[in-house]
């Protein structure tokens, strides 16, 4: 960003236009673009960028409803995402604060976007995509039991250890734990134990003990259950009323993506 790349391109639309045109000329697969709403609150330009991108041959736009200056603070502005959708004829997907099925379906419907993107919500709840599909099809959303949650944590940690040095894997595991344990009984205490673990063995022991205690006693630590939502987000329930065409399975294609984002 400091050198004008990434979301810095939002401040230099002529340069971004040149980049998009050159990429489009050099590829045969679809070109997509992910962007934020602007660099700052005083330079909101996502609609103008989207229009320009469409003219350059971009075939799908994903909009994160925050500015670069916001980072991940505050609420995502889905009104701006809706404006982008209304301004172009190509597919648009929205992103920001989707950590529950109800909120995601509400934003999807109200914005009129062609899809939604889920980031941190999937770290808290890796089953959220399956649950969305269940809800759209009119089924009760899938609820993993404790044994499955434990298995996912252990599998993730083993994958980390296979791909990177142990010290790095420990840090990544603690990072995931900060998201994954929200909404679990005694999650705050469990998270602190993981944060203070200094080896893979300690991590594994703490995971095993935590889930064994939950399975036997249905409680852990102070027994409190934290909210699993962004503290800045006020979630509102909504009725699951989707049209027949809203449930279409998206076509999976190889694409060239450009991110004007971080």
């Amino acid at each position: 960003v400091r050198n004008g790349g990434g979301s810095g391109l939002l401040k230099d639309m002529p340069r971004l236009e040149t980049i998009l045109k050159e990429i489009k000329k050099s590829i045969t697969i679809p070109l997509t673009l992910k962007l934020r709403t602007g660099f700052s609150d005083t330079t909101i330009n996502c609609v103008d960028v989207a229009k320009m991108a469409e003219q350059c041959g971009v075939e799908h736009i994903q909009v994160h409803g925050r500015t670069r200056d916001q980072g991940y603070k505050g609420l995502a502005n889905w009104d701006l995402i809706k404006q982008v959708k209304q301004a172009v004829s190509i597919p648009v997907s929205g992103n920001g604060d989707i950590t529950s099925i109800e909120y995601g379906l509400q934003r999807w419907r109200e914005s009129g976007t062609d899809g939604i993107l889920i980031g941190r919500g999937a770290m808290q709840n890796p089953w959220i995509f399956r649950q969305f599909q269940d809800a759209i099809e009119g089924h009760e959303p899938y609820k993993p039991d404790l044994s499955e949650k434990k298995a996912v944590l252990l599998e993730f940690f083993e994958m980390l250890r296979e791909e990177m040095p142990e010290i790095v894997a420990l840090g990544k595991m603690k990072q995931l734990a900060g998201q994954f344990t929200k909404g679990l009984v005694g999650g705050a205490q469990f998270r602190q134990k993981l944060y203070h673990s200094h080896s893979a063995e300690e991590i594994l022991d703490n995971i095993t003990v935590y889930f064994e205690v939950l399975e036997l006693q249905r409680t852990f630590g102070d027994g409190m259950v934290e909210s699993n939502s962004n503290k800045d987000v006020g979630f509102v329930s909504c009725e699951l009323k989707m049209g027949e065409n809203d449930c279409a399975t998206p076509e999976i294609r190889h694409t060239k993506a450009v991110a004007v984002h971080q």
Side-chain angles (χ1 to χ4, degrees):
V1 175
R2 287 192 296 270
N3 295 320
S7 56
L9 288 168
L10 291 170
K11 299 191 293 184
D12 191 349
M13 284 184 58
R15 185 183 181 200
L16 174 58
E17 182 177 10
T18 298
I19 291 172
L20 291 176
K21 287 180 177 179
E22 290 301 314
I23 293 176
K24 184 64 178 179
K25 287 192 298 185
S26 65
I27 62 175
T28 57
I29 57 177
L31 175 62
T32 67
L33 176 70
K34 185 165 191 257
L35 69 152
R36 286 181 177 252
T37 55
F39 197 85
S40 67
D41 288 339
T42 59
T43 57
I44 300 294
N45 61 350
C46 53
V47 172
D48 291 335
V49 172
K51 289 180 178 179
M52 178 268 289
E54 182 177 23
Q55 293 299 315
C56 292
V58 170
E59 297 177 56
H60 189 170
I61 294 174
Q62 301 96 39
V63 185
H64 181 172
R66 291 182 174 87
T67 65
R68 171 62 174 80
D69 282 354
Q70 273 186 276
Y72 292 97
K73 297 178 181 178
L75 293 174
N77 189 329
W78 279 80
D79 288 336
L80 288 173
I81 296 174
K82 181 177 181 179
Q83 290 177 32
V84 171
K85 171 58 185 172
Q86 294 173 338
V88 297
S89 60
I90 57 177
V92 173
S93 295
N95 175 222
D97 303 329
I98 306 301
T99 57
S100 77
I101 300 169
E102 292 83 4
Y103 192 74
L105 290 174
Q106 176 188 345
R107 287 307 192 188
W108 186 13
R109 183 173 59 244
E110 291 178 350
S111 65
T113 55
D114 300 279
I116 55 176
L117 306 179
I118 303 172
R120 289 174 295 167
M123 293 179 67
Q124 294 178 22
N125 175 19
W127 299 270
I128 194 169
F129 304 102
R130 177 176 178 177
Q131 292 166 348
F132 262 102
Q133 190 66 33
D134 287 341
I136 290 172
E137 294 177 352
H139 305 309
E140 183 71 20
Y142 178 75
K143 293 181 180 179
D145 58 21
L146 287 174
S147 62
E148 187 172 358
K149 290 183 177 181
K150 175 184 176 182
V152 166
L153 267 181
L154 292 175
E155 181 182 7
F156 180 75
F157 189 42
E158 287 305 312
M159 291 170 65
L160 290 176
R161 295 177 71 188
E162 291 174 1
E163 295 293 329
M164 59 191 69
E166 182 167 306
I167 186 65
V168 180
L170 291 176
K172 291 288 186 180
M173 187 62 181
K174 293 174 183 180
Q175 180 184 21
L176 174 73
Q179 298 287 340
F180 189 84
T181 58
K182 290 182 179 180
L184 295 181
V185 175
Q189 284 75 31
F190 173 51
R191 190 158 60 249
Q192 286 302 314
K193 286 184 176 295
L194 289 189
Y195 287 166
H196 290 92
S197 298
H198 301 291
S199 68
E201 289 70 26
E202 280 189 83
I203 290 274
L204 294 172
D205 286 345
N206 282 320
I207 291 174
T208 299
V209 169
Y210 173 68
F211 282 97
E212 284 181 350
V213 171
L214 279 188
E215 289 170 353
L216 291 173
Q217 303 179 11
R218 298 295 173 182
T219 189
F220 186 89
D222 58 13
M224 298 294 291
V225 178
E226 302 169 289
S227 169
N228 63 357
S229 64
N230 185 318
K231 66 181 180 180
D232 294 320
V233 180
F235 289 105
V236 182
S237 63
C238 65
E239 297 179 2
L240 306 182
K241 294 182 179 178
M242 309 294 291
E244 291 182 358
N245 294 330
D246 294 327
C247 304
T249 301
E251 179 184 0
I252 299 175
R253 301 186 296 171
H254 293 290
T255 65
K256 176 67 176 181
V258 177
V260 188
H261 187 254
Q262 298 298 338

